Amino acid sequence: MLDQLESLYEASLTKLEEVDSTAVLETWYRDTLGKKGGIYLLTRQVGQLSADERPIFGKRVNVVKNELEAAYEARLAELKATELADKIASSAIDVTLPGRPLTSGGLHVITQTLRDIYRIFGDMGFQIYRTPDVETDAYNFELLNFPPHHPAREMQDSFYTENPDVILRTHTSAGQIRAMREYYPEPVRVILPGMCYRNEQITTRSSIQFTQVEGLAVGTNITFADLKGTLTEFARRLFGADRQTRFRASYFPFTEPSAEMDVTCFLCDGKGCQVCKQTGWLEILGSGMVHPNVLRNGGYDPEVYTGFAFGMGPERIAMLRYGIDDIRQFWNNDLRFLKQF
Amino acid sequence: MLVPLSWLKDFVTIDKPVEQVDRLLTNAGLEVKTIEKIGIPGAALEWDRELVLLAHLLKVEQHPNADKLVLATVDYGDGRSKTVVTGAPNLFDYVGQGEISGLQIFSPLALEGSVLYDGHKDGRVTAKLKGRELRGIYNDAMLCSEKELGISEEHEGIILIKKDANSPDYQPGTPLQDVLGDAVLEIDIIPNIARCASMVGVAREYAALTNQPMRYPDYSVKMEGGDVNGAAVNGRITLTTENPELNPRFVGYIIEGVQQTASPYWLQYRLRLAGQRPINVVVDISNYVMLEMGQPNHTFDYDFLRRRADQYNPGGPIQINTRLPHDGETLTTLDGTSHKLEPYSILVTDPLGNLSLGGVMGGADSEIKPETQNVFLEAAAWNFINIRRTSTKLGIHTDAAFRFSRGVHPSQALLGANRAANLLNRLAGGTVANGVLDTYPNPPEPITVMLKLDYARRLSGLNLSGAEMAELLGRLEFTTEVQEDHLIVTAPDHRMDIEGPHDLVEEICRMYGYDNIPSTVLSDVLPPQRGNAKLEQEERIKDTLVQAGLQELITFRLTAKAQEAKLLPKNHVAGPDERPYVTLTNPLSAERAEMRHSLLASVVEIAAHNSRYQDRLAMFEVGPIFIADEDEILPIEQTRLSLVMSGQRTVLGWQGGQSGTYDFYDLKGVLAALFNELHLSVSYEPVEHPTYRPGRTARLLLGETQVGVMGELHPLVAEQFDIQMEDDDQPVLAADIDLDALIAHIPSHYPYDPISPYPAVHEDIAVVVDKSVPAKEVEEVIRNSGGYLLKDVELFDLYEGSQLGAGKKSLAYHLTFQAPDKTLTDKVVQKSRQKIVGQLKHRLNAQLRE
Ligand SMILES: [Zn+2]
């Protein structure tokens, strides 16, 4: 019987060599080590052995079983590895085919730009204060130190309504007095976003409707140097930490001193390009120290309080950032445009 | 305003390159928009310093072999001379005169190798000058026209510059760059720098910025004349100003014997660089003085005035009076246009009628004519508001009106008159009659401001001493008295913009240099932080809709009633929207004449536009509408949310397949997601609305309050907006919601629903009801009868097959039962289910479908 065992062992190992799939391997296992496999059938005949032979045979059976089990495991691992490799090899896909499109939505590019502005000023303690689109002449002009027939009114062509005292606001500066009157005597730190309207020919650079973000800070200890610092900080967060700013004297009836802020062109790094008209600078916003008449109209005594204000155009910022060359795109709302942002 | 750098140099020393001049002026608020260079490095055509020179014309002879050519001999410095063959017609006058005597004549000479524009070709084509024989005489140089030098398009003759007592000191051999080379700055004159609307004005700023002295023009007047009787000006003209508020000052001179010749070349050249067309020396001087020192002025034909005086006051003086017009008065200005005058237009008149529109434009009758030799020169000050209104209303935008409407100090009137008299005497050969007419009843007090040092420091953030501030202001010709804690500052006349100490702080900052002021962070007290709850909710709503796959729009808020009327089918009789609009009185176009009443119309319009390019539309806008309010000055601005969806549910990729098209329930799903996010319990009820398709319209209710309408757009409405989806039957879904009402109901807090550790039991139930029973009612009955153990009800099937019988439908629901505190037994669940079935049967006559 030992001979039989040995020859079964040899034969099984040879067969194992020939096994070429895990399915065949399972058959081999059943035939060899299974409940009714060769080894089992042989051990059933152990009764034919003498008492002396039995332990020897038994020992040898265990060794053979273990060897075959080990050989099986090894072969199984081998076959699995081959099969996996084959499966992987045969199931390659074209990874350059496009992904399945999502039906995703998006925010309007101006909403995105506004949120950038909100976030930066929010971090500096400026809160968002909104006021009406349709405004009185008083809030839009008179109380902001634009007397009637003042030449500065010509800088902003207004849309008039059937009520002569009511216009479409030409700037969100119109909200300055409203904010001051609400918050007096607290210090004020607000930004005033909103839609503005000017009666100008529609071109690639100007639209009858545009958004603006005005800013206003009023307190007992606010200087022109603070204005420069705050707005420079804003420019660096919006356009990049390396940006330089420069302030040029300018004119707005509701600020004195007044300044335009330019930022080094982020497209050419200040070397000069088409967008910055070779100057290396981009005009970003107008600003200034709140005019004493405006402070007074807002309820604040200019002998005690000072403040600064600034205003910027989100469309201009978006046009510069993304190289948009036609302002009309913003309100045309062509999905082929909007989906790009 | 165009400012030639060479002209500025009359008044202040400029030794910096033009780029630095630009930077200095721009930073100080005189924004240089463009710089045009002529002949100098950086110009489109640079004149070679060695090869393009100023030459002195010695003699002109006929070319021996050609009638149309002459030989011009010139001296070009250092004893060099050259004979040039040229066909310039303006040299023919000098042929045969021998050596030219009298005034010296100069012309630009280009030597061989120089690059200039070809005068015979259209446009600007460069050509290099080469020597060649011209009808038998070798020629290797050229006398140049303006076109060849790139100065203008003028090519009729060469430039001839006569040197006289008033000319610059021309020397032969000087590089032409140093004579005619220039850089012209275009400066934006914003309202607060009206004082800079002249060469002197700009030079004064530059002098202050570079801390240099100013050289003012020669304002002296040589008076020696009288009329034939030797009478001085005083006996010949009387001046009255009816209202000194409107015409604070009027200065006049009589100048006789002027010659209306062409102006000297240097003057013509300057005018042209400054954008003025030279006419003749009298007109040119008037313009020159205005550009130079900022005072507009006017010349009348003196003899014309005299002839009229002979009618109303024979032998007596001319009587000039300034006044407002009579009713219906008209005036023909010197451009030949007749104007009906406005009640606020100020006139210069005599007793027979008006002569000119003061400060705006002269009258046609009294203007100087080619034969005029005696002129009455006017320089006056006018009320800027009247000038502004007149100029705007009559549409006359002259350089004079530009300046007067921004304010010119009355002190300038005398200076301007003096300067014009000076030039008319020197350049036009006029004789100034003795004396000056000057009506100036109420000279304004100089503006004096107290500037507290503490205030200046607090506003600027600069820690300057009083003396330092005084020094900076002094550069701009302010006079200051330094006290311990303040300055008493008196503004020069031309600073009409100074109102208070804040204006002085700006001047201090400008002179200190905005660039040099430090940048600091805000150290003032931070105000209480309040947030903006409404805006935050709007942004949250936008984010939720974007997550649901919709694109946000921002549309025009100006629209037209007709555009919004498209929301109603054509056959619809009465609009539901009778509310008043905010209507513009000066719209740019009829399409944008009203503030919108409907956000939905705006969004549908955009959907229609995009339907030409897209097979999937899913978009929304959050924005205001404007309803005029009869009781309030301002309209009600209500925030709305409008959504439109139509077309393919998903974008199909390369794998194709079918996703179906949007229907009513897609839109409702989006709204459900939104209301779920906002923790709002909104219910839907069928409703009729003209904009929407009957039978596919619901109103949205928060409790009893309607907050919006949703549904399929009425096919006629979709057609009116010209929505072009691929398939005509594709529904266009729309919703229009009152966002203010919605936001007002958003709970600030809501309880969390604990997750039960005990298993849930799932039961399905299918019931057959009449088709007319809304699914909402079935679900309500289930929920109300299911008790607290019924956690969730989910419709998973709707069936309307024939085997159910006519007018019936089957609804199948997944029911989820779960207890927070124990495992549910089958018995409890079955009891609950029985109760649901019983209630369905009882309330809705529903049959259980096995
Ligand atoms: Zn650039």
Side-chain angles (χ1 to χ4, degrees), chain A residues 335, chain B residues 606-615 617 619 721-726:
Chain A
L335 291 172
Chain B
I606 298 300
H609 165 77
N610 281 290
S611 68
R612 282 152 189 72
Y613 317 103
Q614 309 283 342
D615 56 9
L617 300 176
M619 49 185 63
F721 277 97
D722 200 14
I723 297 180
Q724 300 180 356
M725 296 311 289
E726 209 169 301

Side-chain angles (χ1 to χ4, degrees), chain A residues 98 100 106 108 111 115 127-128 133 154 158 160 186 209 224-226 228 249 256-258 303 333 335, chain B residues 27 29 388 458-459 503 506 514 517 520 528 530 532 539 543 552 554-555 557 585-586 610 637 654-655:
Chain A
R100 247 171 231 119
H108 193 283
T111 300
R115 286 189 181 182
Q127 295 164 67
I128 303 168
D133 287 24
E154 271 179 20
S158 316
Y160 296 95
E186 287 173 3
Q209 167 181 312
F224 190 64
D226 289 340
K228 281 189 69 180
E256 188 85 25
S258 302
E303 295 283 317
N333 290 290
L335 291 172
Chain B
N27 283 6
R388 163 166 303 272
R458 202 156 50 85
L459 198 58
D503 295 308
E506 176 167 89
Y514 278 20
I517 296 173
T520 53
R530 290 190 181 83
N532 185 323
E539 298 302 312
D543 284 338
E552 188 206 4
I554 301 178
T555 60
R557 298 178 184 181
T585 53
N586 61 336
N610 281 290
E637 296 190 11
W654 49 273
Q655 288 174 311

